[in-house]
């Protein structure tokens, strides 16, 4: 899961490139190894927005608490606004990628790990 591999075979890459690059978060339609169609039904990844929202809320709260702990400043809303928006902007590729991964690994009852596909044999 941490390496963004297919939830069915755990060998094929779910994304075409690295996280912080142009076009790096493009997903192929199917797994190059086992042929799993990632978008199980039309509009399936709209549900990933809810996971991404949970990530953003957790990150915003963490950034705000860290800012208060380090600066002790409660007077300037601009400091908090700038740091929270900047942090969410910087973490957007992470949120996009891992919200889809969590959706496929944990929140999809139709997809199960197939150990026989997790081999080096090319079939």
């Amino acid at each position: 899961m941490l390496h963004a591999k297919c939830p069915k075979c755990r060998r094929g890459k779910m994304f075409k490139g690295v996280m912080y690059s142009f076009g790096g978060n493009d997903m192929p339609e199917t797994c190059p190894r086992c042929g799993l169609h990632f978008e199980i039904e039309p509009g399936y990844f709209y549900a990933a927005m809810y996971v991404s929202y949970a990530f953003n809320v957790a990150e915003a709260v963490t950034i705000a608490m860290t800012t208060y702990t380090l600066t002790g400043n409660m007077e300037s809303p601009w400091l908090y606004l700038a740091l929270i928006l900047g942090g969410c902007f910087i973490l957007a590729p992470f949120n996009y990628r891992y919200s889809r991964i969590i959706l496929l690994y944990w929140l999809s009852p139709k997809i199960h790990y197939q150990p026989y596909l997790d081999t080096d044999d090319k079939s």
Side-chain angles (χ1 to χ4, degrees):
M1 185 172 142
L2 294 176
H3 300 290
K5 300 293 184 180
C6 171
K8 186 175 178 183
C9 68
R10 306 223 175 129
R11 292 291 177 127
K13 292 184 178 182
M14 287 180 59
F15 295 92
K16 294 181 180 176
V18 294
M19 189 180 315
Y20 285 98
S21 68
F22 291 109
N25 282 329
D26 289 340
M27 283 185 79
E29 288 188 28
T30 59
C31 174
R33 179 92 176 175
C34 69
L36 171 70
H37 190 68
F38 290 127
E39 190 170 7
I40 297 171
E41 54 195 37
Y44 181 72
F45 286 120
Y46 284 123
M49 290 188 304
Y50 297 109
V51 179
S52 179
Y53 175 74
F55 282 168
N56 276 317
V57 169
E59 292 159 0
V61 169
T62 302
I63 291 169
M65 290 174 58
T66 304
T67 301
Y68 177 72
T69 303
L70 294 177
T71 65
N73 185 349
M74 283 292 289
E75 303 300 320
S76 174
W78 297 110
L79 172 67
Y80 288 93
L81 185 66
L83 289 176
I84 289 171
L85 289 178
C88 288
F89 180 75
I90 290 170
L91 292 170
F94 172 85
N95 293 343
Y96 175 80
R97 183 175 280 221
Y98 281 98
S99 65
R100 287 181 173 221
I101 292 170
I102 286 175
L103 183 68
L104 286 172
Y105 267 84
W106 290 343
L107 304 174
S108 296
K110 296 179 182 180
I111 299 175
H112 300 287
Y113 172 58
Q114 305 293 325
Y116 68 90
L117 294 172
D118 192 8
T119 64
D120 288 329
D121 299 337
K122 299 231 178 182
S123 50

